[in-house]
Amino acid sequence: MGLEPLIEQARRCGFFRSALEELAQALPPEDAELDQAIAQAVATRDERAFRSLYFAALGAGRKVDGRHLAEGSALFVGPRELPASARACTGEVARALLAAVQGSRMDAGRDATALLLARIWCDERGAATPAGFWATARTLARRTPRNSQAQATLAVLAHLGKDEGLTSVLAANKTSPPAAWVASTLDAFRGLYRSSPWAAVPEHRPPTALSGYTVRRAVPRLSRNAPCPCGSGKKYKKCCFDKDQERLLQSSAVEGMTLEEWRNQPEKALTLERLRGMPSYELGRLDPTKVPPALQEHLLDRLFDYKELAAVLRCLESGAYGEGFEFYWDWALEVAGTDRELGVIRRLLALRPDLDQARLPLNIRLLLADEQGAAQLDLVEAAVGAGLRADDDTDQLTMLAHALLESRAPALGVLVARSLLPMLGYWEGDLLLDALLQARDKLELSSDDPFESIFRERFLERPEEPRESEALAEARRNLEVQSDQVNRLRAELRGMYREMEKRRRRAPAALTEPKPTAPDDSAMTDLRSKVTSLQALLKERHSERNQLRRDLDAAREQLATAAERTAPEEPKPEAAHQEDELLLAEPALGKQPVRMPVFPDRFLQTTASLPRAVVRAALVLTARLAGGEPAAFVGLRPLRAWPEVYRQRVGSDYRLLFRFAADRLEVLDLINRRDLDRTIKSRG
């Protein structure tokens, strides 16, 4: 028997035990030919032929490759069919079930069931879960917070797999079924999985279910004694009555049509309610030119729900859509870009040949560029991935940022550098910021980057100033005024850039119109001139602001110097030399791990008598040391008499004493530098 007769027999076969056993006798003896028949039924989305062939083969103990579940899972009808059949398949069943979920052709409840079955399959066989499995489960949980069936099934999956990410998403969705219910549901799923494929097949032919529509007669109502409408001249009861009674049992929603005839022409008597209840394979078979106009947009919405892009394309290419064409075209392009369906994108572009492709979304243009530049992009992606996997280690990402800033993609380098500045220590960040500002110069951008102030703010010391000097107050006021001017100039320059961009975008339309008049040329020239002068003025104001920042720092320094001169106990000139004698040379510690800071019980009492600015600076320093920030270790010195204890400066007069453990930073004391010798002797 060839494939077509076999598939036709499977399509007409009833889905019950004896019918499938009869079909099993007609299956080809070669597994390869059987596999080809099942694959053809899947490819044509023929759910009746697929289910019959699939269960007839499994029930007869034939080999069925699990790869068919990737597309075939969406063709099952009964809730027990997928669980009862997964175990009997060969091959990578879990990977196929994951692909079925990622294909988005099932509802959320079935997606969750497929994921749970995939995990059970892995557990039963001692196999690892496929790559991307838990990410797909978490995405499904986030996407369906109000679907109680999907959320409950995912809760069973989280319990089985002990995945913290999925558990946290479900907790955020307030999904927390009782533990006893989770355990019993898991046992029920395992029981379905371990059962025979025949468990999902009815023992006898089920009664015809006529629901969801009003049944119309498939044959006209006639008297038994009336002449037969076939024209034979006999009475109806002695001619076609028995045949019509069989046809009457297959009545459908359309008068004069049987269920089989209606299935072949589903657009007839199509309603919104029926459209909303159709599975993906039925939606994909609808002819868009025969769908009532009032339902055409509803059809496209449903097709997008299941990512039936092939059917969406048929609708758009049919010409049946007028005003809504561009909206659904844009939607289809977005989905195709996300799924990287280059063939679909090219067919969509063929529908709009006059479209300026320079205005397409960037991800679409990258796909159309095909393999051009793929090697460089792969290198960047690999470097970013390695840096992200290194957790707190920013060295690799910092090297990437420098490389991009010096490459042919400095604008991309600016964005990467900005993302790193809030995480770097002072010296590494200062070097990266300098490279960033140089890249801005190459790009002919303003010399001021918004992340510069964010970075500087992290390391700006703010000592308590009980009484601000006049010089300091004046410097602060001047800086605030100048900063306001810089911000206003920036806003004005952005407005001019926007105006120039609007004029540039109108330029393509002007290519088919008469040449612009002189006043338009003059306006554009004047606008460019204003932009140039404003850029120069902004650069000048920016330099003035930097000078005012330096003036403010100088005023603060003068205030600090004056405070030191009036201190009750001025340190002796030889104090620094005496302290050096108590210390060893600065060690080369290298990269430090993250440690948890631990303070002595008396630390709170010790700091109560110290200046608040000193205590604040000491706590900030402790956090930076515990975090392993390289800049915090500059100037670190071990004690000569106590080598495992280190000293770090807190301002000019105070010293923090601490030591390292494997996972802790043990703070010992915060003292005045004059008390260092006495502290060492008392602890010795």
Side-chain angles (χ1 to χ4, degrees):
M1 180 183 289
L3 290 186
E4 288 303 328
L6 174 63
I7 291 174
E8 181 61 28
Q9 181 181 348
R11 184 182 299 117
R12 294 182 178 277
C13 177
F15 194 75
F16 55 97
R17 182 76 171 264
S18 59
L20 293 180
E21 287 176 340
E22 183 179 343
L23 177 63
Q25 299 300 317
L27 295 177
E30 296 294 332
D31 287 340
E33 192 175 353
L34 172 61
D35 185 80
Q36 188 179 353
I38 295 175
Q40 184 171 326
V42 171
T44 56
R45 311 296 301 284
D46 190 334
E47 79 284 0
R48 286 183 293 162
F50 168 72
R51 292 168 64 226
S52 296
L53 287 171
Y54 191 79
F55 277 93
L58 290 179
R62 297 292 298 275
K63 180 179 178 181
V64 177
D65 197 316
R67 78 179 194 283
H68 297 303
L69 292 176
E71 295 288 337
S73 294
L75 302 179
F76 289 124
V77 176
R80 295 168 60 94
E81 292 175 14
L82 180 59
S85 63
R87 178 169 172 264
C89 293
T90 61
E92 293 293 331
V93 172
R95 191 172 300 168
L97 291 172
L98 177 61
V101 177
Q102 293 171 339
S104 301
R105 284 182 164 175
M106 301 185 291
D107 57 59
R110 292 202 177 192
D111 282 342
T113 298
L115 289 174
L116 179 55
L117 286 172
R119 177 65 195 192
I120 291 174
W121 184 90
C122 292
D123 281 357
E124 294 278 332
R125 295 176 177 247
T129 51
F133 178 86
W134 292 111
T136 302
R138 292 192 288 269
T139 300
L140 179 61
R142 289 191 180 95
R143 187 165 50 85
T144 59
R146 293 180 179 83
N147 189 313
S148 57
Q149 179 188 356
Q151 292 286 301
T153 306
L154 289 172
V156 178
L157 175 61
H159 168 76
L160 176 62
K162 303 293 187 293
D163 182 70
E164 294 181 2
L166 179 57
T167 302
S168 65
V169 174
L170 293 172
N173 293 345
K174 297 182 172 55
T175 300
S176 55
W181 179 89
V182 170
S184 63
T185 304
L186 179 58
D187 289 342
F189 266 100
R190 281 184 171 138
L192 287 172
Y193 171 81
R194 293 167 181 168
S195 64
S196 164
W198 287 126
V201 179
E203 188 70 26
H204 305 288
R205 180 192 294 271
T208 303
L210 304 178
S211 62
Y213 54 84
T214 301
V215 179
R216 309 293 183 185
R217 292 178 64 93
V219 293
R221 189 184 298 276
L222 294 173
S223 169
R224 289 167 54 89
N225 293 316
C228 187
C230 72
S232 65
K234 298 179 182 180
K235 288 186 178 181
Y236 179 50
K237 65 182 179 182
K238 293 189 176 182
C239 187
C240 294
F241 177 79
D242 292 337
K243 181 179 65 175
D244 283 356
Q245 289 303 301
E246 182 69 24
R247 180 178 173 84
L248 190 62
L249 291 175
Q250 299 297 317
S251 296
S252 68
V254 182
E255 189 171 350
M257 295 181 68
T258 64
L259 282 170
E260 182 66 23
E261 292 166 348
W262 186 32
R263 285 192 183 106
N264 294 330
Q265 302 179 61
E267 300 81 13
K268 291 195 174 184
L270 185 64
T271 64
L272 179 58
E273 181 182 4
R274 176 156 176 76
L275 183 66
R276 286 175 173 168
M278 280 184 167
S280 59
Y281 51 82
E282 287 188 2
L283 289 166
R285 286 201 291 262
L286 293 175
D287 184 345
T289 61
K290 296 179 181 179
V291 173
L295 299 178
Q296 287 177 345
E297 291 193 0
H298 294 287
L299 169 60
L300 273 177
D301 290 341
R302 292 287 291 148
L303 291 174
F304 275 113
D305 286 343
Y306 289 117
K307 285 190 180 179
E308 290 280 356
L309 279 181
V312 168
L313 275 171
R314 285 199 303 273
C315 292
L316 296 179
E317 292 170 342
S318 70
Y321 291 83
E323 292 183 3
F325 173 82
E326 289 191 4
F327 171 78
Y328 287 107
W329 187 92
D330 289 339
W331 192 356
L333 187 68
E334 180 182 342
V335 174
T338 302
D339 293 346
R340 302 179 64 83
E341 293 283 354
L342 191 57
V344 175
I345 292 172
R346 296 193 189 283
R347 286 177 64 183
L348 287 169
L349 293 177
L351 294 174
R352 300 179 68 179
D354 298 331
L355 182 71
D356 181 7
Q357 295 195 10
R359 299 181 182 276
L360 290 172
L362 178 59
N363 66 321
I364 302 297
R365 284 184 280 141
L366 285 173
L367 284 172
L368 291 173
D370 210 359
E371 296 301 321
Q372 297 177 14
Q376 293 91 330
L377 188 60
D378 288 346
L379 283 174
V380 172
E381 178 67 17
V384 173
L388 293 176
R389 285 189 290 273
D391 295 330
D392 296 332
D393 186 359
T394 57
D395 291 348
Q396 295 187 59
L397 291 177
T398 305
M399 291 170 60
L400 171 65
H402 280 286
L404 289 173
L405 289 169
E406 297 165 6
S407 72
R408 296 176 60 185
L412 178 60
V414 168
L415 288 180
V416 175
R418 282 179 173 181
S419 71
L420 289 170
L421 284 175
M423 300 187 293
L424 298 179
Y426 181 79
W427 300 113
E428 300 95 329
D430 192 54
L431 287 172
L432 185 59
L433 180 61
D434 184 60
L436 184 154
L437 296 176
Q438 291 182 40
R440 290 182 66 90
D441 292 338
K442 293 177 187 176
L443 294 167
E444 297 185 357
L445 301 173
S446 69
S447 55
D448 186 29
D449 190 274
F451 268 67
E452 181 179 6
S453 57
I454 295 173
F455 175 74
R456 301 292 184 202
E457 187 73 17
R458 289 179 57 212
F459 302 99
L460 185 64
E461 292 187 6
R462 296 183 180 276
E464 278 197 338
E465 296 155 2
R467 191 165 58 190
E468 192 176 62
S469 69
E470 183 58 34
L472 184 60
E474 181 65 22
R476 192 190 303 279
R477 284 193 295 270
N478 290 340
L479 179 59
E480 290 172 355
V481 170
Q482 198 67 35
S483 295
D484 288 341
Q485 290 183 8
V486 168
N487 291 335
R488 282 197 298 272
L489 287 173
R490 275 190 197 150
E492 188 177 349
L493 187 59
R494 282 195 296 268
M496 288 187 177
Y497 279 137
R498 282 195 294 269
E499 179 63 26
M500 290 179 68
E501 179 64 15
K502 287 179 183 177
R503 291 175 181 269
R504 186 190 67 77
R505 289 183 177 180
R506 286 197 293 267
L511 293 177
T512 58
E513 298 173 0
K515 186 177 179 180
T517 58
D520 291 334
D521 288 340
S522 175
M524 195 65 176
T525 303
D526 184 51
L527 190 59
R528 288 196 184 97
S529 176
K530 286 182 179 179
V531 167
T532 303
S533 60
L534 194 58
Q535 285 175 331
L537 183 59
L538 180 60
K539 190 170 184 177
E540 181 182 341
R541 291 289 181 268
H542 176 66
S543 299
E544 292 175 0
R545 189 183 68 172
N546 286 345
Q547 182 58 47
L548 287 171
R549 277 180 176 163
R550 288 191 286 271
D551 292 344
L552 179 61
D553 290 339
R556 281 187 175 136
E557 237 179 82
Q558 291 174 4
L559 184 64
T561 303
E564 285 181 4
R565 287 173 181 166
T566 57
E569 292 185 40
E570 188 173 346
K572 297 178 181 179
E574 66 273 9
H577 177 67
Q578 291 175 350
E579 183 178 0
D580 281 342
E581 291 180 347
L582 301 174
L583 305 172
L584 296 173
E586 182 176 349
L589 295 176
K591 185 176 178 58
Q592 292 294 307
V594 174
R595 298 180 174 93
M596 185 62 63
V598 179
F599 296 91
D601 294 338
R602 57 184 177 79
F603 191 75
L604 187 60
Q605 291 77 13
T606 301
T607 57
S609 60
L610 299 179
R612 302 304 301 163
V614 172
V615 177
R616 186 181 298 113
L619 292 175
V620 171
L621 174 63
T622 302
R624 293 170 61 196
L625 289 165
E629 186 177 312
F633 290 80
V634 176
L636 194 71
R637 304 275 297 275
L639 303 185
R640 188 179 297 277
W642 205 359
E644 68 273 17
V645 175
Y646 293 86
R647 177 234 69 176
Q648 184 59 295
R649 299 174 185 270
V650 181
S652 57
D653 290 328
Y654 289 88
R655 303 293 181 260
L656 184 69
L657 301 181
F658 57 91
R659 63 186 170 198
F660 298 119
D663 56 353
R664 300 188 311 280
L665 176 73
E666 298 178 2
V667 176
L668 301 177
D669 213 341
L670 177 61
I671 60 174
N672 192 292
R673 67 175 182 177
R674 293 187 299 272
D675 299 328
L676 182 60
D677 187 23
R678 186 171 67 251
T679 300
I680 292 173
K681 290 178 180 178
S682 66
R683 291 176 181 264

